[in-house]
Amino acid sequence: MISCTEFIPSYSELFGYLEEHYGFAEVERYWNDIFDPDRNGLLNQKVRELGLRGCYEYWAISLNEEAADFTMYLNEADGWFLSRMHHCPSKGRLLDLAHIEPYPHYCLHCDLYRKTVERYGLCYQYNFLDTDRAACSMLIYDPGIFNGKIILTPETRVMDRRAGDNKYLHREFHVFMNMGVDYLGSRFGPAVLDDYLARFTRRYMKPLAERVRAQGLPALAENIAAAYAAEEAGEALHLHCTDRRLDVQVDWCPGVRYIQGRENQVSEWYSHTTSTVMATLAQEAGLQFTMDAYDEAAGAAAYHFTV
């Protein structure tokens, strides 16, 4: 499993992988696939049922779960919704990583929310001027009402949040990870999927591999435990670590559980986010890896590392 708290680097690396191997047109094809309104169920439902207020409610959920630094405004009477991202948690996390470069066009994928919003007759404008410092803004308006003026009135709803106000735990990223895995596996085959996952692991997890080489298996056990703790799924994980062997047992995968709870089909290749990632990490850290068991129904797994 790639944790939802570590999803953003995998997302950025996937964009880069697609462009490097198949060109930018393939990146755009992928964006159009995963942002199809019929697949982006929650936003589609909210806007269909509530219009502009649905935009406000959707991003209130998403941005709070991502622990974003933002201010949102909604004025239904005047027909506009404005979101100002003071510091994007996604782009910000990428900029904070010293050992990998963010995908150059990373922020452009957010414009694909346009497909859902415009489906219901609303207009969508995105300002990308400050994405180099992880800031942006978005205006959505009803062309039948909006007069071009953004004026705060007593009727304007305002939500103002700082990054420290919320815990970073956006479980919806599991759904996007699942869609990405399924896209690569179904379109290009499992060999390409494994190539991407191995590349992501070598690049993003390089500091971890170096730490494990220096400190041994306890450093790896600590990292795995931290990932499940961040997912609030520590009870699903069981570790037994010695100087020579680390045994890992997972009773249920938080990613699989969330995907199923959202009534989505878990990709037949989702297990590769454990098997390929852990095998590559082991190789980079000078260890041996064995996948002992995997249960597709719950994402339960048993695997071990040896020195």
Side-chain angles (χ1 to χ4, degrees):
M1 177 195 70
I2 295 174
S3 170
C4 67
T5 61
E6 296 185 317
F7 167 75
I8 292 303
S10 74
Y11 210 32
S12 177
E13 288 294 304
L14 177 53
F15 301 161
Y17 182 89
L18 288 173
E19 180 164 353
E20 180 180 319
H21 288 81
Y22 307 106
F24 184 66
E26 185 61 35
V27 180
E28 293 186 302
R29 186 184 189 280
Y30 171 62
W31 287 345
N32 278 285
D33 181 76
I34 63 172
F35 282 94
D36 185 300
D38 291 326
R39 302 188 72 185
N40 193 1
L42 184 58
L43 177 61
N44 192 39
Q45 173 191 341
K46 290 286 188 182
V47 182
R48 181 181 66 247
E49 296 176 357
L50 302 172
L52 281 172
R53 182 155 47 95
C55 297
Y56 183 92
E57 291 192 2
Y58 172 81
W59 271 288
I61 296 170
S62 177
L63 297 183
N64 278 297
E65 288 184 352
E66 291 188 63
D69 192 323
F70 70 95
T71 308
M72 294 196 313
Y73 308 85
L74 172 67
N75 192 314
E76 291 185 87
D78 292 341
W80 58 269
F81 163 72
L82 174 65
S83 176
R84 289 178 171 169
M85 183 75 78
H86 308 304
H87 187 79
C88 172
S90 297
K91 184 63 175 291
R93 283 172 177 258
L94 291 173
L95 292 174
D96 287 342
L97 293 173
H99 62 290
I100 61 174
E101 290 289 329
Y103 177 62
H105 310 300
Y106 179 82
C107 294
L108 292 182
H109 79 274
C110 287
D111 191 59
L112 273 293
Y113 288 112
R114 175 188 304 277
K115 296 177 65 176
T116 300
V117 169
E118 292 184 345
R119 170 186 257 194
Y120 298 103
L122 301 175
C123 294
Y124 183 107
Q125 294 181 357
Y126 218 117
N127 170 15
F128 290 104
L129 288 178
D130 297 314
T131 55
D132 60 334
R133 57 180 184 85
C136 64
S137 63
M138 171 179 63
L139 173 67
I140 299 174
Y141 60 91
D142 184 338
I145 302 175
F146 184 54
N147 63 7
K149 302 181 183 70
I150 297 176
I151 301 173
L152 294 182
T153 66
E155 293 76 26
T156 305
R157 292 178 63 180
V158 181
M159 181 178 291
D160 189 55
R161 295 286 188 273
R162 301 286 78 82
D165 293 339
N166 294 297
K167 178 180 179 179
Y168 182 78
L169 186 61
H170 187 45
R171 292 188 173 96
E172 191 70 7
F173 284 152
H174 286 306
V175 174
F176 282 91
M177 186 77 241
N178 185 59
M179 287 194 291
V181 165
D182 201 65
Y183 183 90
L184 284 180
S186 59
R187 182 161 170 77
F188 300 109
V192 168
L193 170 61
D194 286 339
D195 188 48
Y196 150 68
L197 289 171
R199 164 182 153 143
F200 158 72
T201 305
R202 287 191 299 269
R203 290 166 61 89
Y204 173 64
M205 297 187 178
K206 181 180 178 181
L208 173 59
E210 292 174 347
R211 190 161 68 251
V212 174
R213 280 187 177 273
Q215 301 174 14
L217 289 169
L220 180 54
E222 180 182 354
N223 180 268
I224 294 172
Y228 280 81
E231 291 272 356
E232 298 180 346
E235 70 274 15
L237 178 69
H238 309 279
L239 301 172
H240 182 261
C241 185
T242 68
D243 290 341
R244 305 289 298 178
R245 177 172 171 135
L246 170 61
D247 284 280
V248 182
Q249 179 181 324
V250 179
D251 295 338
W252 48 269
C253 171
V256 169
R257 177 170 287 190
Y258 182 82
I259 294 164
Q260 292 171 338
R262 295 278 280 105
E263 299 183 350
N264 290 319
Q265 181 68 40
V266 179
S267 171
E268 63 183 289
W269 298 290
Y270 188 79
S271 63
H272 291 229
T273 63
T274 297
S275 58
T276 302
V277 168
M278 292 302 181
T280 305
L281 177 58
Q283 183 179 42
E284 295 297 298
L287 304 173
Q288 297 296 317
F289 169 79
T290 302
M291 175 67 83
D292 300 305
Y294 188 85
D295 172 35
E296 298 282 348
Y303 54 89
H304 68 270
F305 302 86
T306 53
V307 175

